[in-house]
Amino acid sequence: MRVPLSWLREYVDLPATETGRDVQAKLIEVGLEVETVEQLGAGLKGPLVVGKVLTIEELEGFKKPIRFCTVDVGTANGTGAPQEIVCGARNFQVGDKVVVVLPGAVLPGDFAIAARKTYGKTSHGMICSGDELGMGDDGSGGIIVLPPEHEAGTDAIELLELVDEVLDIAVTPDRGYALSMRGVARETAIAYGLPLRDPALLDVPAPNSFGYPVKIGDLLGCDRFTARTVTGLQPEARSPIWLQRRLQKVGMRPISLAVDITNYVMMELGQPLHAYDRSRIQGTIGVRRAEQGEKFTTLDGTKRVLDAEDLVITDDRGPIGLAGVMGGANTEIADSETDPQTGQVRGTTEVVVEAAHFDALSIARTARRHKLASEASKRFERGVDPQAAAAAAQRTVDLLVLLAGGSAEAGVTEVIAPTAPRTITMPADHPDKVAGVAYGRETVVRRLQEVGCDVYGQDDLTVTVPSWRPDLAEPNDLAEEVIRLEGYENLPSTLPKPPAGRGLTERQRLHRRVGRALAGAGYVEALSYPFIGEGVFDQLGLDADDTARRVVKLVNPLSDEEPALRTTLLPGLLSALRRNDGRGSHDLALFETGLVFHPQDELKIAGRLPVDRRPTDEEIASLTAALPVQPRHAAVVLAGAREQAGWWGKGRPADWADAVEAARTIAREAGVELIVDQGQYGPWHPGRCAELKVVVDGEIVSVGHAGELHPRVVKALGVPARTCAMELDLDGLEQAGDGALQAPRISTFPVATQDVALVVDKDVPAAVVEYYLSGGAGELLESIRLFDVFEGEQIGEGKKSLAYALRFRAADRTLTVDEASAARDAAVALAAERTGAVLRGA
């Protein structure tokens, strides 16, 4: 919201010495975000005057049209003689009043004006456009043409209000009242402790039965509708300079008098309005929900297909306006046109003024559905004062009568749905508890009354909320008003004192160890947003009934394309890998640890926790029960070279085994023996996918997958060929662990090594054989390593040979050959029983 300081002074008697910077500081103190203060006319120096065009001579022989003009500037040039000026613009003619800058003046941007010879003539000054004066777009597309009543030689700097200060305020969604001069003026008056001249305090005639007929079919969508009619408008009437300049300063372009007046009143009072050409309305004005698929053309010329939830303004033909967003082209105010034969000016002479109050949520959804954000929708979706509708309509009628020569009809239409004032009951010391400051009852009551509340009671206050503050809904909102007006800077800053002796939990230590281990293995941590679009599940190749497709959707997502919380870490990591690969980093190894989110089987509504005390264990448990299930996962992605080539060797590319080894690295940090089995799931290549399992309470549980991504997934996601990935459930891994990780003991006794070669079917995973060898060998086994895989005619078709090196060691003695052999035989026996393995050569 742009707020000209000159306009603000109309409502608050600010000290004459107050600058825009001073007002900015005051408004920031009461909680408004004033981002900048723009100095209009900075560096501007006259003479800049009104001139009357006396003659125009068209200069020939140049690439573009050039005119040599004589202009009457009164006595501003010191001689009273006509001023000779060369100008290329063509939107003015002899007799027009224009803005002339004379030699010696300086325009914005440090542009000094002097007499100079150009196009064979000497130009003594310049005829100005709005852009050259820093005024912005006035809709003319060229030179400023002033109304004829201004005398030549009049100071144009003062006439056009070129010197001013404009405050640019970033209005947060809960403070819609600040999207108006009235709202900002109220905050300014509070900040300075000065009285407010409320522009909405107008004498408004009572509604009667002979106003323009209006019928509301949806009182929930529109609870108030005021209609006023003005006739006898002069089509040739133009917006006066002061009105155009105020609209330009707040960032709006002047269009026509009737439209400018509705925009002006909207910026003044915060109530959006719309003016219909009465001659184009057929029958009763109505308010209803659109029919599904109904078509309608808005003022911007776009034909829109309406949704059944859209609220529309109608007449007997159908929609004439998209309620609270934009009017329709079929009732648009007509531009004035002059008949070339009779000289008669034609245009709109009768208007119906609409001032209504619409449901904020409905308007917000309509504006987003049609991607049609307007100044009106911006205000309605943040909350508009319903009590200001009648005053805004009256203000619009008054200006139309004053500036367009119209006559206000006596009929006043006002349809109102019955509503009761909103009241909030609050302990008088509630703001004290929230802020930790003893304000006292008198201060609380005074501050609430300053924002427009009516307050009654002693220990318990009954607060009636003003109509322009829909954001005040509960005691905490009232407490915030007291705190911000008393000054956030006055709140004490007290750091909490945690009890001694508490550090990280074992779970937190595990997460940190995992991060350090992966970083030590050459992975780089990448933190991604926890939001996804459901289309990514199709890209990952997940089945239609996969549990990962059940997502928690956000009511207000940051992006409509990613409205859900992630159920897997892979989309974010693969997106980071794709982005880095596209920027020239082709050898990548990324990891992330973070939460994923799964919906509860039963939807529960979380209650609000208190802020003036510690929540009870039951309240915290109730909140936790309503939250999604949030397990912590760890994931890695790899592409390109895993080992770089150099003088030391050829290097090698990353493959599925690296992804599996990353899972083993994480499992070692948890003190868990990871079972690696052949698997097939979603995004992984069916022949290069390992299912990762652990033993929890005697049962084998799957905790993740690792391997090379499927070529279809690689293509769909745009990542490099042969990209590998792994994802692991850290919470499941933690359940399989034995608690705190124990440091290994260094034995002083020698190791006994036994090699064993087993023949198994080709489809038996080596990891499964290794698992049962480890289980059968017992406590003496220190480590096991697969060092050879062989397939050939010697061992038979459909078979393979797996050779393992088993290391045995005792903590208290030197093992004998018999003890090591017995442990080896026990290991082979269990592997043979569970996998059908046979000793090679047996």
Side-chain angles (χ1 to χ4, degrees):
M1 175 69 187
R2 290 170 57 85
V3 179
L5 189 58
S6 59
W7 195 354
L8 186 62
R9 289 182 183 275
E10 284 195 6
Y11 312 121
V12 183
D13 289 327
L14 295 173
T17 57
E18 287 293 283
T19 66
R21 295 290 183 190
D22 299 328
V23 177
Q24 177 190 30
K26 284 287 189 179
L27 291 179
I28 289 175
E29 287 179 4
V30 296
L32 289 183
E33 298 180 26
V34 185
E35 294 186 328
T36 60
V37 178
E38 184 179 349
Q39 305 290 332
L40 299 184
L44 178 63
K45 176 184 175 184
L48 184 72
V49 297
V50 176
K52 179 180 180 181
V53 180
L54 300 177
T55 65
I56 298 177
E57 177 187 352
E58 300 289 346
L59 301 182
E60 304 292 340
F62 300 102
K63 293 182 179 179
K64 62 180 181 178
I66 299 296
R67 310 167 97 186
F68 180 66
C69 310
T70 59
V71 184
D72 177 14
V73 294
T75 59
N77 57 5
T79 65
Q83 201 78 1
E84 297 180 337
I85 300 174
V86 175
C87 183
R90 309 190 65 79
N91 67 312
F92 65 95
Q93 56 191 358
V94 173
D96 281 347
K97 298 291 180 64
V98 294
V99 179
V100 179
V101 58
L102 300 177
V106 179
L107 294 183
D110 199 25
F111 181 37
I113 303 299
R116 64 189 183 96
K117 191 169 183 178
T118 179
Y119 297 102
K121 300 286 187 179
T122 301
S123 182
H124 300 273
M126 188 169 70
I127 301 175
C128 299
S129 67
D131 286 338
E132 290 164 341
L133 298 178
M135 295 170 54
D137 184 11
D138 62 356
S140 67
I143 294 301
I144 300 171
V145 179
L146 300 172
E149 63 267 20
H150 299 291
E151 295 293 330
T154 303
D155 183 4
I157 295 178
E158 182 178 351
L159 175 67
L160 299 177
E161 302 177 13
L162 296 178
V163 179
D164 202 350
E165 294 181 278
V166 179
L167 287 72
D168 194 351
I169 302 176
V171 179
T172 52
D174 61 328
R175 299 199 180 277
Y177 66 90
L179 287 171
S180 67
M181 294 299 304
R182 180 193 184 202
V184 176
R186 182 177 288 107
E187 293 294 305
T188 305
I190 295 172
Y192 279 91
L194 296 172
L196 169 70
R197 286 190 292 274
D198 191 345
L201 295 180
L202 301 174
D203 291 330
V204 179
N208 50 56
S209 60
F210 44 93
Y212 198 92
V214 173
K215 181 180 180 181
I216 298 180
D218 190 335
L219 287 173
L220 294 177
C222 176
D223 58 8
R224 183 179 293 262
F225 195 107
T226 300
R228 301 289 298 275
T229 305
V230 181
T231 60
L233 300 178
Q234 300 172 3
E236 70 275 11
R238 297 175 52 189
S239 300
I241 292 175
W242 65 266
L243 179 58
Q244 294 187 45
R245 288 297 295 134
R246 286 192 171 178
L247 289 176
Q248 288 172 336
K249 289 177 184 178
V250 298
M252 303 189 76
R253 182 173 63 87
I255 299 173
S256 64
L257 179 56
V259 176
D260 291 349
I261 288 174
T262 57
N263 286 336
Y264 176 83
V265 176
M266 176 179 66
M267 303 306 297
E268 183 179 50
L269 301 181
Q271 168 67 53
L273 302 109
H274 190 69
Y276 301 94
D277 188 326
R278 182 179 180 179
S279 65
R280 298 185 176 187
I281 302 176
Q282 295 182 12
T284 302
I285 292 178
V287 182
R288 62 168 171 82
R289 298 288 173 177
E291 297 175 5
Q292 186 66 39
E294 194 171 12
K295 296 181 179 179
F296 165 65
T297 303
T298 47
L299 281 172
D300 58 0
T302 302
K303 191 170 185 179
R304 303 186 184 277
V305 179
L306 302 180
D307 187 89
E309 292 188 5
D310 292 334
L311 197 65
V312 292
I313 312 298
T314 65
D315 64 4
D316 291 350
R317 298 166 298 176
I320 60 174
L322 198 55
V325 181
M326 186 175 285
N330 52 355
T331 56
E332 182 180 7
I333 301 294
D335 294 332
S336 60
E337 296 180 352
T338 303
D339 191 315
Q341 297 180 351
T342 64
Q344 182 181 0
V345 180
R346 299 197 196 99
T348 298
T349 59
E350 298 179 336
V351 299
V352 176
V353 177
E354 166 210 311
H357 184 261
F358 302 110
D359 174 60
L361 185 59
S362 175
I363 301 305
R365 287 176 174 172
T366 295
R368 283 158 178 74
R369 187 180 299 117
H370 295 282
K371 296 180 174 59
L372 187 61
S374 64
E375 291 291 339
S377 67
K378 183 177 14 176
R379 284 161 176 79
F380 276 123
E381 66 188 38
R382 286 167 171 78
V384 169
D385 180 6
Q387 302 291 340
Q394 182 63 44
R395 178 71 166 138
T396 304
V397 168
D398 292 344
L399 289 173
L400 286 170
V401 171
L402 175 67
L403 302 178
S407 300
E409 288 194 350
V412 177
T413 302
E414 194 164 31
V415 182
I416 304 175
T419 56
R422 290 180 297 116
T423 59
I424 302 172
T425 302
M426 177 185 75
D429 62 350
H430 182 68
D432 301 15
K433 293 180 179 179
V434 173
V437 176
Y439 293 122
R441 179 187 177 280
E442 290 72 17
T443 298
V444 171
V445 171
R446 174 172 57 85
R447 288 304 190 183
L448 293 178
Q449 288 174 339
E450 285 178 346
V451 299
C453 297
D454 292 328
V455 186
Y456 305 94
Q458 292 298 320
D459 294 338
D460 289 323
L461 303 179
T462 300
V463 181
T464 301
V465 176
S467 57
W468 58 83
R469 292 300 302 273
D471 58 304
L472 302 182
E474 57 183 46
N476 286 337
D477 298 328
L478 300 179
E480 182 185 3
E481 293 299 298
V482 175
I483 295 168
R484 75 176 179 91
L485 295 180
E486 283 294 305
Y488 290 120
E489 70 277 5
N490 296 324
L491 293 177
S493 178
T494 305
L495 293 176
K497 296 180 180 179
R502 294 187 180 181
L504 298 177
T505 64
E506 183 55 36
R507 186 168 187 261
Q508 291 170 328
R509 291 192 184 98
L510 170 61
H511 297 161
R512 295 198 178 190
R513 288 200 307 270
V514 167
R516 286 194 294 266
L518 290 174
Y523 291 85
V524 176
E525 186 171 17
L527 300 178
S528 58
Y529 280 117
F531 311 118
I532 59 172
E534 294 182 81
V536 75
F537 298 130
D538 295 328
Q539 295 175 321
L540 290 175
L542 300 185
D543 294 336
D545 59 349
D546 196 296
T547 56
R549 287 182 177 268
R550 294 184 63 237
V551 295
V552 178
K553 290 189 177 180
L554 301 175
V555 176
N556 54 342
L558 293 178
S559 169
D560 292 338
E561 296 179 356
E562 295 181 331
L565 291 172
R566 66 189 178 190
T567 55
T568 167
L569 300 182
L570 291 184
L573 271 179
L574 291 171
S575 176
L577 183 139
R578 179 179 63 248
R579 187 162 50 252
N580 281 275
D581 180 72
R583 294 176 179 175
S585 298
H586 304 302
D587 302 325
L588 295 162
L590 308 178
F591 85 92
E592 181 176 8
T593 61
L595 301 179
V596 298
F597 306 86
H598 300 284
Q600 296 275 13
D601 293 334
E602 180 183 352
L603 180 62
K604 298 180 181 179
I605 305 300
R608 294 197 175 187
L609 297 182
V611 296
D612 56 348
R613 60 173 173 80
R614 184 191 183 280
T616 64
D617 293 341
E618 291 76 13
E619 289 171 333
I620 295 175
S622 174
L623 175 63
T624 303
L627 296 177
V629 179
Q630 303 176 53
R632 181 172 291 272
H633 282 200
V636 305
V637 292
L638 304 102
R642 184 62 177 143
E643 295 178 3
Q644 295 291 336
W647 59 264
W648 52 85
K650 295 182 180 180
R652 67 174 184 85
D655 59 21
W656 63 269
D658 294 304
V660 174
E661 182 57 30
R664 287 197 173 104
T665 299
I666 295 173
R668 282 194 292 270
E669 294 301 322
V672 175
E673 189 68 29
L674 194 66
I675 304 172
V676 181
D677 199 355
Q678 186 173 0
Q680 183 172 344
Y681 177 70
W684 281 277
H685 191 297
R688 303 187 184 107
C689 174
E691 185 175 5
L692 311 174
K693 302 176 181 179
V694 294
V695 178
V696 179
D697 298 330
E699 294 186 5
I700 297 178
V701 179
S702 177
V703 291
H705 293 82
E708 182 181 315
L709 295 183
H710 197 289
R712 285 197 299 267
V713 175
V714 167
K715 182 178 180 181
L717 294 174
V719 295
R722 310 301 295 269
T723 294
C724 299
M726 179 278 296
E727 185 165 11
L728 199 61
D729 182 354
L730 280 182
D731 288 355
L733 205 65
E734 184 182 2
Q735 292 175 6
D738 296 327
L741 188 65
Q742 299 295 322
R745 289 186 176 182
I746 305 300
S747 175
T748 59
F749 295 95
V751 66
T753 302
Q754 295 272 355
D755 292 344
V756 59
L758 301 176
V759 178
V760 296
D761 293 339
K762 287 180 65 175
D763 59 353
V764 176
V768 173
V769 177
E770 179 180 317
Y771 174 75
Y772 289 114
L773 284 173
S774 299
E779 296 182 353
L780 295 178
L781 182 67
E782 182 179 83
S783 67
I784 181 172
R785 179 176 62 87
L786 175 68
F787 66 86
D788 183 57
V789 178
F790 176 74
E791 297 178 16
E793 296 179 357
Q794 298 92 326
I795 58 174
E797 185 178 353
K799 300 289 184 178
K800 63 181 177 182
S801 171
L802 304 175
Y804 296 90
L806 286 72
R807 289 167 57 93
F808 298 97
R809 194 194 312 254
D812 56 351
R813 68 188 187 282
T814 299
L815 292 177
T816 65
V817 174
D818 291 340
E819 287 177 312
S821 297
R824 183 202 63 182
D825 293 343
V828 170
L830 184 61
E833 177 186 345
R834 299 298 175 87
T835 67
V838 177
L839 273 174
R840 185 173 177 181

